[in-house]
Amino acid sequence: MEANRIYNFNPGPATLPLPVLKEAQAEFLNFRGSGMSILEISHRAKEYAAMQAEAKADIKELMGLGDDYEVLFMTGGASTQFAFLPLNFASKEHPGSYVLSGSFAEKAYKEAEHLGIGEIVASSKEGGYRHIPTQDELKIDENAAYVHLCYNNTIYGTEYHYIPDTKGVPLFADMSSDMLSRPIDFSKFDFIYAGVQKNLGPAGVTLVVAKKSFLEKSPEKLPTMFKYETFFKKDSLYNTPPAFNIYMVGKVAAWIKSEGGLAEMAKRNKKKADRLYGVIDASNGFYRGHAEKESRSFMNVTFRLPSEELEKTFVAEALAQGLGGVKGHRSVGGMRASIYNAMTYEGVDKLASFMEDFQKTHA
């Protein structure tokens, strides 16, 4: 680990690849020979245009998508997309259908419900969001405008390990916390979005990857900045974009490519997750995982200890060992280790070893 840096297990804003941070540091004062920082350069400059085009191309290449898809860079986080989706696509005749698998899936549904154009087609809330609803649990409405999923649930530590069959209804997904973490058939999704601050970059930009047919025309009644059409037709440049954040997303995408692409990310992420879940499963109940095994996330490992007092001790002692951000979300308590692409196996192994030693001391 680099001097004076900790292993950062925060769920977002989250750790970034060290080579990316160093690259950005090296060119911070002079971006591509412009004599200006990326923080200063015009979004109309040729240097910026080339950078954004490269970022878009790398993202589509990693996802294996063709010219029928477009990449947008927006603001407002995934939470703003929760409202944009029903506003742009749903109606009373064709409501948005939502699968509830965690807090953010629920928040997305509530925005559509508030507009009177949302419905629930499956939910694991009653069981404490411990599992991902299965295909058999989905009650697809053939008149729905779309079926919406939250593909990875950071708070509860659950993740989809299958792509639902929606019977021809367009499939939309919030992939904020597992975007570009493994190869999946992205072409089965019509609309994907992600707040990048978990697995792809710094907070401040929202990535949208969608079929052009969903972006080409928005309802006339919507304000200009609420229309996907606005961002699509102006190449995300209708107004000044968050240039630095987009630049960083491009850097991360290029880093993923250089490291071996999504197949290599999946291999690394599974190895990291297996190490931590192995400790939990071998602890004889000292560590209790929140998620059911078949729904476990490769991105966010959530677990409890025998008491809240012991959990406080765990957090303090972990930080003293250079392991930060392991406290769980306030709504569920316990611990959460976020092991996104940029988290190294060395960091995960150190946390796992700490967990083993902590159990020996405190069991």
Side-chain angles (χ1 to χ4, degrees):
M1 171 55 70
E2 196 83 358
N4 302 316
R5 284 180 62 82
I6 66 170
Y7 289 110
N8 174 10
F9 292 93
N10 276 302
T15 191
L16 289 167
L18 192 59
V20 168
L21 294 175
K22 288 185 173 182
E23 277 187 30
Q25 181 185 48
E27 59 189 29
F28 189 70
L29 296 180
N30 188 353
F31 172 64
R32 298 192 174 185
S34 67
M36 296 176 284
S37 170
I38 184 63
L39 295 176
E40 303 169 304
I41 197 168
S42 169
H43 58 294
R44 308 294 181 189
K46 67 180 187 301
E47 295 89 352
Y48 176 85
M51 177 275 292
Q52 179 172 292
E54 290 165 13
K56 290 170 60 174
D58 283 347
I59 290 166
K60 286 177 64 176
E61 180 182 340
L62 286 166
M63 297 176 75
L65 297 174
D67 289 340
D68 52 335
Y69 282 81
E70 182 59 283
V71 174
L72 305 181
F73 296 108
M74 302 177 69
T75 56
S79 296
T80 298
Q81 298 297 313
F82 296 165
F84 277 16
L85 293 179
L87 284 171
N88 277 266
F89 303 119
S91 66
K92 291 187 182 297
E93 295 77 21
H94 301 285
S97 290
Y98 290 79
V99 181
L100 304 192
S101 57
S103 295
F104 293 106
E106 192 173 343
K107 288 179 179 179
Y109 162 68
K110 285 182 177 178
E111 294 290 355
E113 180 191 36
H114 176 70
L115 295 167
I117 48 178
E119 61 185 9
I120 299 171
V121 295
S123 174
S124 57
K125 183 175 184 178
E126 188 173 334
Y129 289 134
R130 293 181 182 275
H131 82 281
I132 293 295
T134 65
Q135 180 69 49
D136 290 342
E137 293 176 73
L138 305 184
K139 309 303 179 186
I140 304 296
D141 179 354
E142 62 181 15
N143 291 315
Y146 54 82
V147 173
H148 179 279
L149 317 172
C150 185
Y151 220 57
N152 182 77
N153 300 283
T154 56
I155 292 175
Y156 297 96
T158 61
E159 186 174 20
Y160 278 81
H161 297 296
Y162 78 103
I163 299 175
D165 178 2
T166 59
K167 312 301 182 183
V169 176
L171 182 57
F172 288 18
D174 173 1
M175 292 190 179
S176 293
S177 50
D178 64 346
M179 184 68 155
L180 303 188
S181 65
R182 53 181 169 150
I184 61 174
D185 189 352
F186 292 101
S187 69
K188 290 186 178 297
F189 296 84
D190 298 274
F191 197 108
I192 297 168
Y193 63 99
V196 305
Q197 69 274 10
K198 298 178 182 296
N199 206 33
L200 292 178
V205 64
T206 308
L207 177 67
V208 169
V209 184
K211 286 184 177 177
K212 291 177 179 178
S213 57
F214 281 87
L215 302 172
E216 290 171 336
K217 189 169 179 61
S218 299
E220 286 295 327
K221 64 181 180 180
L222 292 182
T224 301
M225 291 301 289
F226 289 14
K227 297 178 180 180
Y228 287 110
E229 178 185 9
T230 300
F231 292 85
F232 173 68
K233 290 186 175 180
K234 297 296 183 180
D235 193 24
S236 302
L237 297 172
Y238 179 83
N239 65 337
T240 306
F244 177 77
N245 310 77
I246 295 169
Y247 159 83
M248 289 297 289
V249 170
K251 288 280 189 192
V252 172
W255 173 80
I256 292 172
K257 283 182 59 178
S258 71
E259 292 292 302
L262 301 194
E264 178 62 22
M265 293 299 108
K267 179 181 175 182
R268 295 180 187 181
N269 290 329
K270 184 180 186 304
K271 182 180 179 182
K272 291 182 293 184
D274 285 349
R275 179 72 172 101
L276 291 181
Y277 287 125
V279 174
I280 293 170
D281 292 341
S283 71
N284 294 316
F286 183 81
Y287 298 114
R288 293 172 286 112
H290 179 83
E292 295 179 6
K293 287 187 177 182
E294 65 273 13
S295 295
R296 282 174 165 175
S297 171
F298 287 171
M299 297 283 96
N300 310 97
V301 178
T302 56
F303 56 95
R304 299 299 303 261
L305 276 73
S307 69
E308 291 187 6
E309 194 61 36
L310 205 53
E311 288 172 348
K312 291 178 182 178
T313 303
F314 183 98
V315 171
E317 292 188 9
L319 185 58
Q321 295 294 318
L323 304 164
V326 296
K327 184 178 180 181
H329 192 273
R330 61 186 178 277
S331 64
V332 296
M335 301 297 113
R336 171 175 53 182
S338 297
I339 52 174
Y340 303 127
N341 288 345
M343 173 54 66
T344 62
Y345 181 78
E346 289 73 19
V348 170
D349 187 54
K350 183 173 181 180
L351 174 59
S353 296
F354 168 77
M355 290 170 66
E356 291 166 337
D357 292 341
F358 189 88
Q359 180 182 354
K360 292 175 184 177
T361 304
H362 296 280

